[in-house]
Amino acid sequence: MRKLLLLVFVFSMLTGCDEEEIIVNEIELKDITSNILINNPIIYESTDVNITVENNSGAIESIVVYFNDEILLNLENDSNVNFSFNPELYPTGLANIKIEIIEKSGGLISKIYPITIHRKLLDVELDNYFFRKGNKDFMIFASAYDGSLLATRLIDSIPISFVLSTEVDIDLETPYMFTIASRNEFVDIEYANLYTVMDVTRSGFNEFRPKSPRRSEYSKQYKLNTIGFSEDVIIEGSINPGYSTGYDHLDFSFSFTKYEYLNEDNNIDTYYINAYNRNTRQVSHMWINDDTLLNNQELNANELSTEDQIEGFVDTTYSDGLENDHTRMLQIRGYQNEKDFKNDNYHEIWRSGHTTTQSPDMYIQPIEDYVLNTSFYKYSHFLRLEDYITNRVGVPFEKYNIPNWDLDFQIIDKQINLTVNGSGHNVGKLLISSGNSADEIPTVEGKLNHYTWNINFDSNKTSIITLPEVPQEIKNWSFGKFYNSSNLNVKWFRVERYENIEDYDNYLNQIIRENKILFQVSPLFEAKFISNDKYSNFMFDSDTFFD
């Protein structure tokens, strides 16, 4: 152990004396097993402190340890001090720990250690690929519910582990929010991404160790010729975790993009291709592999198969009655084994739907047909019916029981007021975004500012959200300048429920804490939303919160 203090007192007669008459008494403090008392530390958790006094020759009468003026420990005839300091028992802010040694001779030796007491908010661990590739200026900050800042941390290296703490004396049960932020900046445009988790408490959510979403390293593209395809038979494009496909019905060419990832093995090496006959409405499929791509093989329509296929339908007569578009979307995903299911490595085996502008006499399609390939190990599906969305393990139902949840919201300056009628939900989400259309994106000092801000909260407890003050570093971003001078655009507000997740605290600890894939925890997700978009033309990502 390092030596912390060597106190040397030299006593001499007031009158002159020679060298032999000098009395030297050395008392040495060492072996403080925690470094919490060194270099004006911030203390946010209970720590054991052990001190040994050496070379005392039985000269110690007592050792007294003080917190400011309060005695923590008083030991007589002892050269060892052992105590546990719990900062939760004391107010936050600047303070002093004083160690006082009283000698039997009446002498007094003392040492003061200045400290700062904080409250621990989060133990954070972020891996190499948590933030989007190309982003920079990473930050995490915590805020009280009035929007005031509790703590700010710049993240200058990844991976990183740290404790986020605050000098504000917040108790264990007081809810607060934390926000992860980053940006990607170019000459004429800035992309700012923020993710806020509300309704967290120090007692209920004290660790944040999120798994990175998939981070693409690069993609390789292929273009293959086709044989035997006509204008009646088209290959349907699909988007899967490891690849995507496309088809040009004019020159009958097939395009294929394969993705490689930085943070996981891409173990998909066979690829599912769907084709559709527009006259007979027959669906057929085929599998290709890397040999097909590398050898530039032609896709032959005669190799398409209709084996292992069955037809099904979903009742889509539900109407939300809102003044937006009518939207139907059905996607069915197939998994080849349990490992693929756990890693969310699926093949898109069906996708259909349509969006139409509402009119008084419009025809609403009563059912949504689909074709299912029964040869897969496991299935999941995503369904959207107007203001209702669900993501579930298994094949589609013929009929869905739509929850009776009515929503509304309004934003006034930095305050968002939320209204929810109906029970059974426990999670709420907001998307605040500049949008994707060129005429929606604001310009700040000649630079386009594209921002997205996802907010996650307890839908049963939260009716008012006060958007937080942002740290000075973010105020210097284009987004920060826009944020401080303009109203943001809330794209949509939704409430959700999950199977196997009883309440919001359970959701935080099962999904948000590690940013888990939904199906690793719950076989069912469903939600209803309300949107400010005229045509509700946006995507819902329900697999993970952080992206």
Side-chain angles (χ1 to χ4, degrees), residues 94-310:
L94 299 175
N96 291 312
I97 296 288
K98 181 171 72 171
I99 299 173
E100 186 176 85
I101 299 173
I102 301 173
E103 296 179 293
K104 289 182 178 180
S105 63
L108 179 66
I109 304 168
S110 67
K111 173 65 177 178
I112 294 176
Y113 295 91
I115 64 171
T116 303
I117 293 181
H118 274 199
R119 297 291 180 249
K120 180 179 178 180
L121 296 174
L122 276 179
D123 196 341
V124 180
E125 183 177 319
L126 302 178
D127 65 28
N128 277 314
Y129 307 109
F130 178 73
F131 292 100
R132 291 180 182 178
K133 185 180 178 182
N135 279 23
K136 60 180 183 178
D137 299 327
F138 312 125
M139 296 198 69
I140 182 171
F141 61 94
S143 312
Y145 267 46
D146 62 1
S148 61
L149 285 172
L150 297 175
T152 298
R153 172 72 184 239
L154 284 169
I155 301 171
D156 54 11
S157 64
I158 297 289
I160 190 171
S161 299
F162 59 91
V163 169
L164 189 67
S165 64
T166 177
E167 194 170 345
V168 177
D169 199 354
I170 181 172
D171 66 35
L172 290 170
E173 304 303 328
T174 297
Y176 71 95
M177 62 183 117
F178 71 90
T179 301
I180 294 281
S182 64
R183 66 170 174 165
N184 196 344
E185 189 177 24
F186 299 94
V187 175
D188 58 352
I189 190 169
E190 176 191 271
Y191 294 91
N193 301 287
L194 298 93
Y195 298 86
T196 294
V197 179
M198 298 184 60
D199 298 301
V200 294
T201 63
R202 296 174 55 226
S203 65
F205 189 84
N206 53 18
E207 292 182 342
F208 180 52
R209 290 174 166 77
K211 176 182 181 293
S212 293
R214 283 188 172 96
R215 296 296 182 217
S216 178
E217 182 176 20
Y218 65 88
S219 61
K220 190 170 183 179
Q221 295 182 337
Y222 304 85
K223 192 169 185 179
L224 305 179
N225 292 324
T226 62
I227 302 173
F229 289 88
S230 66
E231 293 182 357
D232 297 331
V233 178
I234 60 174
I235 300 174
E236 296 182 315
S238 65
I239 301 176
N240 308 275
Y243 65 101
S244 62
T245 65
Y247 181 70
D248 189 332
H249 70 279
L250 297 178
D251 66 3
F252 309 119
S253 63
F254 172 76
S255 61
F256 184 96
T257 302
K258 183 175 180 179
Y259 303 103
E260 297 291 339
Y261 296 101
L262 288 162
N263 55 335
E264 63 180 43
D265 293 331
N266 184 3
N267 55 7
I268 296 180
D269 53 12
T270 57
Y271 317 106
Y272 190 79
I273 311 300
N274 251 340
Y276 178 73
N277 190 306
R278 290 184 287 191
N279 284 336
T280 65
R281 303 188 68 184
Q282 183 185 64
V283 177
S284 52
H285 67 272
M286 67 186 303
W287 289 90
I288 65 173
N289 54 33
D290 287 331
D291 286 340
T292 309
L293 303 174
L294 295 174
N295 296 323
N296 198 30
Q297 297 176 8
E298 294 179 314
L299 298 187
N300 193 328
N302 292 329
E303 295 178 0
L304 294 171
S305 172
T306 58
E307 292 182 358
D308 301 318
Q309 293 188 165
I310 61 173

Side-chain angles (χ1 to χ4, degrees), residues 317-483:
T317 55
Y318 168 73
S319 176
D320 59 18
L322 300 175
E323 293 297 323
N324 59 3
D325 62 323
H326 286 286
T327 300
R328 311 282 190 266
M329 178 183 173
L330 175 64
Q331 182 194 43
I332 305 176
R333 303 170 174 181
Y335 306 85
Q336 291 185 288
N337 51 57
E338 185 65 19
K339 181 180 179 182
D340 282 353
F341 176 72
K342 292 295 186 183
N343 293 328
D344 201 28
N345 286 330
Y346 62 83
H347 302 271
E348 184 181 84
I349 58 179
W350 180 264
R351 176 160 45 92
S352 63
H354 64 271
T355 299
T356 55
T357 304
Q358 185 182 41
S359 62
D361 58 350
M362 75 166 290
Y363 170 72
I364 300 176
Q365 184 176 317
I367 64 172
E368 188 75 28
D369 294 310
Y370 66 84
V371 174
L372 179 74
N373 186 323
T374 62
S375 65
F376 284 87
Y377 164 78
K378 190 173 284 190
Y379 304 88
S380 70
H381 67 277
F382 177 89
L383 174 69
R384 174 180 171 187
L385 296 178
E386 305 214 22
D387 68 344
Y388 172 75
I389 55 176
T390 185
N391 203 354
R392 305 179 185 228
V393 174
V395 299
F397 297 158
E398 290 185 1
K399 181 75 174 178
Y400 289 80
N401 294 319
I402 311 296
N404 186 26
W405 302 333
D406 294 321
L407 316 178
D408 199 4
F409 71 91
Q410 63 176 168
I411 180 169
I412 302 173
D413 194 20
K414 297 295 186 290
Q415 180 174 298
I416 304 172
N417 300 316
L418 306 172
T419 303
V420 184
N421 294 315
S423 61
H425 53 83
N426 45 37
V427 178
K429 286 188 173 68
L430 281 171
L431 174 64
I432 300 173
S433 175
S434 57
N436 296 309
S437 301
D439 58 353
E440 291 182 303
I441 301 176
T443 300
V444 178
E445 297 178 351
K447 180 176 290 189
L448 292 172
N449 178 227
H450 189 289
Y451 62 86
T452 58
W453 193 342
N454 292 272
I455 301 178
N456 191 102
F457 54 91
D458 187 331
S459 60
N460 288 304
K461 294 182 179 179
T462 304
S463 58
I464 296 176
I465 295 175
T466 300
L467 295 176
E469 175 190 358
V470 296
Q472 184 59 49
E473 292 84 355
I474 295 181
K475 290 178 181 178
N476 294 328
W477 298 1
S478 295
F479 167 76
K481 295 172 183 177
F482 177 77
Y483 178 60

